[in-house]
Amino acid sequence: MKITDIVVLQLRIENIENVFDGTQDVLIVQVLTDTGITGFGEVVSSSYVARAIIDAPRSGGGRHGLRSIVTGMSPLDTRAVWEAMYEGTSWYGRRGAAIHAMAGIDVALWDIIAKAAGTPLYRALGGSDARRMRAYASVLWGDTVVETERLARDFRNQGFQAVKFGFGPIGTSLERDVEMVAAARRALGDDADLFVDVGRRWQVEQAVERAAAFDDYNVGWIEEPLHPDDLSGYAALTQRTAIPIAGAETEETVAQFKAYLDAGLKVVQPDLGRVGLTQALEISALARRYGARCVPHCFGSGVNTTASIHWMAATGGTLTEYPMRSNALCRDLVRGVPSVSDGYVSPGEEPGLGIELSSDVVEQYAYG
């Protein structure tokens, strides 16, 4: 089996807001083969930059576009394809958007491997059963306390037993932060998990102060409280708070995740659209050796959501992120995304990811 082409679909909603919401524009990759099997992946990055990295022609050493590198290679050898992409982009890549684009292709290769074997993706990744796992509803904080309470109640009414709120007004003041967390906890009740995503807005002393103020609200973790470059800050913070610290969603290499684990994080959050499945399997194993949890970051389309569920099923994961934005790229683009029932989700049994794209949504939101 050989790779014959990569089809890149860039999709964008009409009105883009300057907020950290990866469902507003997405980049889907389809890896085509000479057997007719197609694999799906999603790139989580600047979709415009990553698209150029895939589409670029061959050039001087280490300056090639990804399509030109992988065409003609076997999709069944993910390690060989990864190394070829890494070396072929080494003059401008090795980190950042080049790795993100590679990650989307890598997920598509695993989809092909599973489809060729006639097995669901989680089995191709080494899993033995379609284990149920909790899915936490993931959404931005409401603009007000009242809006946050409404969102939390809605998710409980939908059966979710865990919710994460992120970005929005959090981080603006101690009083405001406590009000928002208290509102979410009131609406969720005492028997649901609450995760707080700060969006990299605090310094160490602010984070210590906020964590102490959150003690009464049973916060499951505090996510990305500091700038991602502040590893020394993370090392200090993890020694001074009892609430687990989560992070590293911005990172794209195994070495970077090891650095966060060395800094004391108890939850690392790889995004498959930034690391790919080949690296994600290594990161899961690395987190286990550190006694930490590996929980997917996932805030894009149903391609990434579905791949993350299969990855967790294959590696013994017990929790996965489930984005709950209301736009079409999050909710309607992908058919076959596993649904949540009573707060739990399981991977499907169809070969590969078991998904298809809605042609109507693709036609309506195609960009460029």
Side-chain angles (χ1 to χ4, degrees):
M1 188 187 300
K2 301 294 183 185
I3 297 170
T4 58
D5 199 3
I6 298 177
V7 175
V8 182
L9 297 175
Q10 187 175 9
L11 307 168
R12 172 183 166 117
I13 65 174
E14 184 175 355
N15 297 311
I16 298 285
E17 297 180 66
N18 186 25
V19 295
F20 281 85
D21 177 0
T23 70
Q24 297 184 102
D25 65 85
V26 300
L27 192 70
I28 307 300
V29 296
Q30 297 172 276
V31 176
L32 280 55
T33 69
D34 59 359
T35 65
I37 296 175
T38 296
F40 293 99
E42 180 173 352
V43 179
V44 178
S45 187
S46 166
S47 60
Y48 317 94
V49 175
R51 180 178 183 174
I53 288 169
I54 295 171
D55 286 344
R58 294 193 69 83
S59 186
R63 299 166 171 86
H64 309 307
L66 294 177
R67 179 188 292 106
S68 71
I69 295 169
V70 305
T71 298
M73 296 189 71
S74 169
L76 307 181
D77 191 343
T78 60
R79 180 56 62 184
V81 173
W82 186 272
E83 291 176 357
M85 292 191 293
Y86 189 87
E87 293 303 323
T89 60
S90 59
W91 191 247
Y92 66 89
R94 299 175 52 249
R95 297 292 186 275
I99 300 294
H100 307 159
M102 290 165 54
I105 293 170
D106 182 71
V107 171
L109 298 184
W110 280 101
D111 189 23
I112 290 169
I113 289 169
K115 287 175 177 174
T119 191
L121 178 59
Y122 74 86
R123 290 191 183 276
L125 294 170
S128 59
D129 61 78
R131 59 183 296 140
R132 294 172 77 228
M133 68 199 76
R134 285 195 310 152
Y136 71 82
S138 184
V139 71
L140 305 183
W141 290 97
D143 291 333
T144 65
V145 167
V146 172
E147 177 66 8
T148 293
E149 283 192 279
R150 184 193 66 77
L151 287 166
R153 281 194 301 271
D154 286 349
F155 293 135
R156 282 315 310 264
N157 291 338
Q158 292 175 49
F160 282 100
Q161 301 174 25
V163 178
K164 182 177 79 178
F165 290 96
F167 292 89
I170 202 78
T172 54
S173 73
L174 173 62
E175 294 75 16
R176 181 68 162 168
D177 292 351
V178 172
E179 285 178 351
M180 297 298 276
V181 171
R185 174 51 71 200
R186 277 196 305 272
L188 290 174
D190 295 333
D191 59 342
D193 283 333
L194 170 61
F195 307 119
V196 174
D197 184 349
V198 180
R200 313 157 206 160
R201 288 177 171 168
W202 296 340
Q203 303 297 318
V204 173
E205 294 304 321
Q206 290 176 303
V208 171
E209 181 183 41
R210 276 12 179 240
F214 294 166
D215 275 345
D216 293 337
Y217 304 106
N218 192 22
V219 172
W221 72 55
I222 297 175
E223 181 174 329
E224 285 206 301
L226 310 178
H227 192 280
D229 291 338
D230 191 8
L231 285 172
S232 62
Y234 274 109
L237 176 61
T238 56
Q239 297 298 311
R240 297 175 62 188
T241 176
I243 299 177
I245 302 301
E249 70 185 54
T250 55
E251 308 310 301
E252 62 267 338
T253 69
V254 175
Q256 290 168 317
F257 283 90
K258 182 178 185 302
Y260 273 88
L261 289 164
D262 285 337
L265 263 65
K266 296 303 182 185
V267 184
V268 289
Q269 300 169 297
D271 191 310
L272 292 181
R274 297 172 75 83
V275 305
L277 276 164
T278 299
Q279 285 198 122
L281 294 172
E282 297 181 47
I283 296 165
S284 292
L286 179 66
R288 284 194 295 272
R289 292 197 293 273
Y290 274 79
R293 299 177 74 182
C294 186
V295 180
H297 176 265
C298 180
F299 207 80
S301 84
V303 176
N304 206 11
T305 301
T306 304
S308 297
I309 292 167
H310 279 270
W311 167 38
M312 287 294 97
T315 56
T318 59
L319 182 67
T320 193
E321 184 168 16
Y322 207 90
M324 292 298 292
R325 296 294 276 173
S326 60
N327 70 60
L329 300 186
C330 181
R331 296 293 185 90
D332 304 324
L333 172 62
V334 182
R335 295 192 294 264
V337 179
S339 59
V340 177
S341 177
D342 295 326
Y344 285 81
V345 68
S346 302
E349 291 296 328
E350 299 81 6
L353 286 167
I355 59 173
E356 295 293 338
L357 302 182
S358 164
S359 58
D360 290 340
V361 176
V362 170
E363 181 178 359
Q364 182 176 353
Y365 294 98
Y367 181 83

